[in-house]
Amino acid sequence: MVRGRICGLSVRDVRFPTSLGGHGSDAMHTDPNYSAAYVILETDAGDGLKGYGITFTLGRGTEVVVCAVNALAHHVLSKDLRDIVGDFRGFYRQLTSDGQLRWIGPEKGAVHLATAAVLNAVWDLWAKQEGKDPRTLLSCIDFRYITDVLTEEEAFEILQKGQVGKKEREEQMLMHGYPAYTTSCAWLGYSDDTLKQLCTEALKDGWTRFKVKVGADLQDDIRRCRLIRDMIGPEKILMMDANQRWDVPEAVEWMSKLAEFKPLWIEEPTSPDDILGHATISKALVPLGIGVATGEQCHNRVIFKQLLQVKALQFLQIDSCRLGSVNENLSVLLMAKKFEIPVCPHAGGVGLCELVQHLIIFDFISVSASLKNRMCEYVDHLHEHFRYPVIIKKASYMPPKDAGYSTEMKTDSVQKHQYPDGDVWKKLLAAQGN
Ligand SMILES: C[C@H](O)[C@@H](O)[C@@H](O)[C@H](O)C(=O)O
Ligand SMILES: [Mg+2]
């Protein structure tokens, strides 16, 4: 039973100094500090349940997103949770269409990340209170702007079909988990020695799919890709990620030089907004057997729709915090199913693995019903700060068993990493003379 009026919303600026170790570095983000705007919702239900929501950010960007969350807070405060989820589509639209905020969006950028943080908290709270059927899930989706490719009725049919064999797929997940790949071995800022050492460990731990960062320097890329391909052997799967570094012709040319290392995909070869550019690259790379993957910085369902319409991607990477929470991600999973494009979520960051595992396991059980060409990203940083961290076994995500969206962080971790007054930052800033 849904219950409670939202009587409190707090948002914290939580940052981890990951840049100090080069963790998370790529061709465009050379010194990322993995961070989160962390939202806590409280209700007057008296049951002690809270809703925790995060969105992933980097360093100073968190300040802006925290402001945006505060600007959205009045939509949630004093609302009855029953009214919110009773018309979740309307509520989603209320947030994304706020007359004074949509000018700095709409449905993109800092304000959309803030929407994700707030709605992720609502989903966490709601998930702790009750389960959901296909009709309820559909009622959360804003179909505005996508009915030309997916109507509510078509979406319902997909979910209805997804009911067939659901039990078996649930059991399969509980037994074997959802297949994952690791990005942790080959951040761009890592030395060759670190790369080798991490790769050796990952192989020992049973990883069979690896992603390497590329895009800054071709000779470096060739050396690192050769090193990793030699280590993992010809059979294991290798993906490459350029984090938007290239122009369109440059992407094709660069990848033709890296094709000998047999990557399954090149991720974010160019600007995430260049839909036709992605289509051109996809087409040009077909003869090389390389697919295009993108989505971690895809603004919203509209851009995903167009990427699908013009065959601009062969692997679709949803992100639990970039899109407008579960609501918008559901619409993208359903569109991907319609276009028969495999979803391979973006994860890592702070908490992205924790959240997105729910979405991709749901996708397998209730939407795609397939594991073909599918896997979920995994990065082994910062899980210790979460109350319900992901469980990886044999390079697979084991389904989370606690109710909720696995979004809650440990109080102590939040306190220590709060910027700028948490202990970790007080020390670091003092050492830097600030
Ligand atoms: C700055 C970040 O670490 C990115 O490099 C990361 O999200 C990356 O694109 C990925 O695919 O994991
Ligand atoms: Mg990436």
Side-chain angles (χ1 to χ4, degrees):
M1 254 294 280
V2 193
R3 57 191 176 270
R5 190 173 287 275
I6 312 288
C7 59
L9 180 154
S10 68
V11 53
R12 317 276 283 266
D13 176 336
V14 187
R15 307 187 196 179
F16 299 88
T18 40
S19 63
L20 297 178
H23 313 309
S25 53
D26 63 49
M28 295 297 259
H29 312 95
T30 47
D31 59 349
N33 281 336
Y34 278 0
S35 309
Y38 181 51
V39 172
I40 304 181
L41 293 180
E42 291 183 57
T43 77
D44 63 3
D47 54 10
L49 292 180
K50 293 182 187 175
Y52 300 88
I54 67 162
T55 194
F56 173 56
T57 54
L58 293 184
R60 279 203 322 281
T62 320
E63 280 161 33
V64 180
V65 179
V66 164
C67 279
V69 168
N70 282 321
L72 286 169
H74 68 278
H75 290 289
V76 192
L77 285 169
S78 307
K79 288 270 158 60
D80 202 303
L81 186 61
R82 229 174 330 198
D83 296 335
I84 293 179
V85 302
D87 177 21
F88 212 159
R89 178 178 301 159
F91 185 71
Y92 175 90
R93 215 179 252 190
Q94 190 186 321
L95 260 73
T96 53
S97 308
D98 180 311
Q100 298 192 18
L101 291 177
R102 80 182 298 284
W103 198 259
I104 60 167
E107 293 184 88
K108 64 170 88 73
V111 75
H112 210 41
L113 290 170
T115 301
V118 172
L119 293 182
N120 283 341
V122 172
W123 276 92
D124 180 50
L125 186 60
W126 187 21
K128 287 168 180 163
Q129 296 187 353
E130 65 174 9
K132 286 130 204 85
D133 60 22
R135 276 285 174 212
T136 312
L137 288 176
L138 287 181
S139 76
C140 301
I141 298 176
D142 188 351
F143 284 90
R144 183 191 262 175
Y145 309 136
I146 59 170
T147 50
D148 49 337
V149 305
L150 185 78
T151 62
E152 187 165 350
E153 268 325 292
E154 281 175 295
F156 182 64
E157 274 165 35
I158 293 175
L159 287 178
Q160 279 301 94
K161 279 199 192 126
Q163 298 290 312
V164 183
K166 192 173 157 188
K167 193 91 210 87
E168 290 75 26
R169 289 193 292 279
E170 254 171 39
E171 277 159 19
Q172 185 184 339
M173 284 294 104
L174 287 167
M175 185 97 83
H176 304 290
Y178 195 92
Y181 73 86
T182 177
T183 309
S184 289
C185 302
W187 297 111
L188 207 68
Y190 283 176
S191 67
D192 289 3
D193 279 348
T194 304
L195 197 151
K196 269 191 237 164
Q197 185 209 325
L198 292 174
C199 210
T200 311
E201 282 166 22
L203 285 163
K204 238 188 261 159
D205 292 343
W207 290 94
T208 58
R209 305 167 171 103
F210 299 79
K211 190 161 87 185
V212 53
K213 293 284 169 182
V214 296
D217 179 283
L218 182 60
Q219 291 317 313
D220 262 6
D221 288 352
I222 293 176
R223 195 190 69 253
R224 295 167 79 253
C225 290
R226 176 161 298 132
L227 201 160
I228 194 163
R229 183 44 98 191
D230 284 350
M231 290 198 68
I232 67 176
E235 300 305 327
K236 298 206 169 51
I237 295 173
L238 183 63
M239 280 82 64
M240 297 180 183
D241 188 354
N243 288 88
Q244 315 162 18
R245 185 67 186 242
W246 304 313
D247 281 5
V248 173
E250 198 183 8
V252 176
E253 208 180 306
W254 201 298
M255 283 315 294
S256 64
K257 305 269 170 36
L258 298 181
E260 62 171 298
F261 306 109
K262 301 267 174 271
L264 175 68
W265 76 52
I266 176 63
E267 179 172 325
E268 292 201 299
T270 192
S271 160
D273 299 349
D274 191 352
I275 298 159
L276 297 182
H278 277 82
T280 305
I281 298 168
S282 287
K283 212 167 160 195
L285 296 185
V286 171
L288 300 176
I290 305 171
V292 167
T294 193
E296 70 183 63
Q297 296 220 0
C298 181
H299 298 308
N300 51 44
R301 64 192 178 287
V302 186
I303 308 287
F304 272 122
K305 176 186 80 172
Q306 294 197 16
L307 287 164
L308 288 165
Q309 282 176 307
V310 300
K311 299 186 174 34
L313 44 64
Q314 287 66 52
F315 301 90
L316 186 152
Q317 299 178 299
I318 53 164
D319 181 296
S320 56
C321 295
R322 171 77 51 187
L323 294 186
S325 189
V326 181
N327 312 61
E328 195 169 27
N329 269 302
L330 283 174
S331 66
V332 176
L333 293 179
L334 290 159
M335 284 194 288
K337 168 69 181 174
K338 178 157 180 204
F339 284 88
E340 289 178 7
I341 290 292
V343 176
C344 299
H346 172 238
V350 193
L352 296 181
C353 301
E354 274 69 20
L355 275 73
V356 93
Q357 61 176 339
H358 292 266
L359 302 177
I360 198 60
I361 293 174
F362 166 79
D363 180 65
F364 174 66
I365 293 175
S366 301
V367 183
S368 74
S370 166
L371 290 180
K372 189 163 175 248
N373 285 330
R374 289 166 168 86
M375 54 190 146
C376 185
E377 182 170 15
Y378 177 70
V379 173
D380 67 1
H381 283 294
L382 308 174
H383 302 289
E384 67 278 19
H385 302 296
F386 285 82
R387 180 120 182 249
Y388 308 101
V390 288
I391 298 170
I392 299 287
K393 273 195 197 147
K394 295 198 184 131
S396 296
Y397 279 87
M398 300 315 287
K401 298 213 178 116
D402 296 288
Y405 203 4
S406 310
T407 33
E408 184 176 356
M409 294 179 88
K410 291 182 184 161
T411 313
D412 184 48
S413 293
V414 173
Q415 252 155 26
K416 277 197 191 130
H417 293 90
Q418 181 152 314
Y419 191 88
D421 50 352
D423 279 356
V424 167
W425 288 106
K426 265 200 228 149
K427 272 189 209 137
L428 273 169
L429 294 171
Q432 289 162 8
N434 291 316

